[in-house]
Amino acid sequence: MKLRPLSIEGAWEVTPQQHGDPRGLFLEWYRFDRLAEAVGHPLRLAQGNLSVSARDVVRGVHFADVPPGQAKYVTCVRGAVLDVVVDLRAGSPTFGRWEGVRLDEVERRAVYLAEGLGHGFCALTDDAVLTYLCSTTYNPAAEHTVHPLDEELGIGWPTGSPQLSARDAAAPSLAQVRRAGLLPEYDRCQEHASGLRAVP
């Protein structure tokens, strides 16, 4: 597999090598050692999630308190999505920047995002199925949202009619989340990552 760092520190695109013949195909969609080598520490696996979305569904932008935060390794096993990483770490050199990666059942890429980064996606097909490997279990008290259509973020969602959950539709803007003091601090995220590297 090939790992390519995105323009946002702590986010990576992973492209697997696919081996196919008339019977079908085989690929390694996750490698503990290769990811750890790239990001500097292993991904602790605490929870696996699966979501199914209709075309034009937009989910996110979600993030969690750091520490411990929640790193994610995301891939699309059916259909296609635009997966979006947003830098929500206050004080980061790329704060407020977003980057999108197409995940689909053809190239079978994955995206890794470190603790402190925001995550969202838009389903490009009906029945788009995403799987997530997460470093921590879900903790609703520590998870937050930023409105995915916030003009300050300016995410270029590839749909003219985004379908949002009630929670995401009522989410605050980036400015409101910042004023409320809910954004992860870049320095604290760096310290957290350093601590993960120190764990044998």
Side-chain angles (χ1 to χ4, degrees):
M1 60 175 53
K2 296 180 180 179
L3 288 93
R4 179 180 69 89
L6 300 182
S7 63
I8 298 171
E9 178 189 357
W12 296 75
E13 175 193 85
V14 182
T15 303
Q17 183 177 2
Q18 302 187 56
H19 306 276
D21 61 29
R23 300 170 302 157
L25 62 85
F26 173 85
L27 62 109
E28 296 174 341
W29 71 274
Y30 170 73
R31 277 282 299 264
F32 167 89
D33 54 342
R34 296 292 305 279
L35 183 66
E37 180 182 359
V39 306
H41 60 80
L43 172 62
R44 176 178 179 264
L45 298 183
Q47 183 171 316
N49 299 332
L50 185 146
S51 69
V52 182
S53 300
R55 183 190 300 269
D56 296 325
V57 165
V58 171
R59 299 185 189 269
V61 174
H62 302 153
F63 68 99
D65 292 337
V66 179
Q70 189 180 65
K72 297 176 181 176
Y73 189 93
V74 186
T75 193
C76 182
V77 296
R78 185 171 68 196
V81 305
L82 178 69
D83 200 71
V84 172
V85 179
V86 185
D87 193 346
L88 298 177
R89 301 167 299 188
S92 167
T94 55
F95 176 75
R97 182 184 299 177
W98 66 274
E99 186 167 355
V101 176
R102 180 186 171 97
L103 303 181
D104 58 39
E105 62 185 12
V106 178
E107 298 296 331
R108 303 185 188 277
R109 292 187 180 96
V111 167
Y112 168 81
L113 58 151
E115 294 86 349
L117 296 176
H119 179 251
F121 68 87
C122 176
L124 305 176
T125 62
D126 281 323
D127 294 327
V129 180
L130 258 65
T131 61
Y132 310 66
L133 301 178
C134 303
S135 65
T136 57
T137 56
Y138 175 63
N139 178 3
E143 183 170 312
H144 311 285
T145 62
V146 176
H147 201 291
L149 307 182
D150 180 17
E151 292 184 0
E152 184 177 353
L153 290 178
I155 298 173
W157 298 111
T159 175
S161 54
Q163 307 298 308
L164 308 180
S165 70
R167 178 191 180 207
D168 289 341
S173 67
L174 178 60
Q176 290 171 321
V177 174
R178 184 192 298 122
R179 285 195 298 270
L182 296 175
L183 293 174
E185 294 289 337
Y186 178 70
D187 290 344
R188 178 168 283 192
C189 292
Q190 296 295 91
E191 291 173 6
H192 181 69
S194 295
L196 293 174
R197 294 186 191 98
V199 175

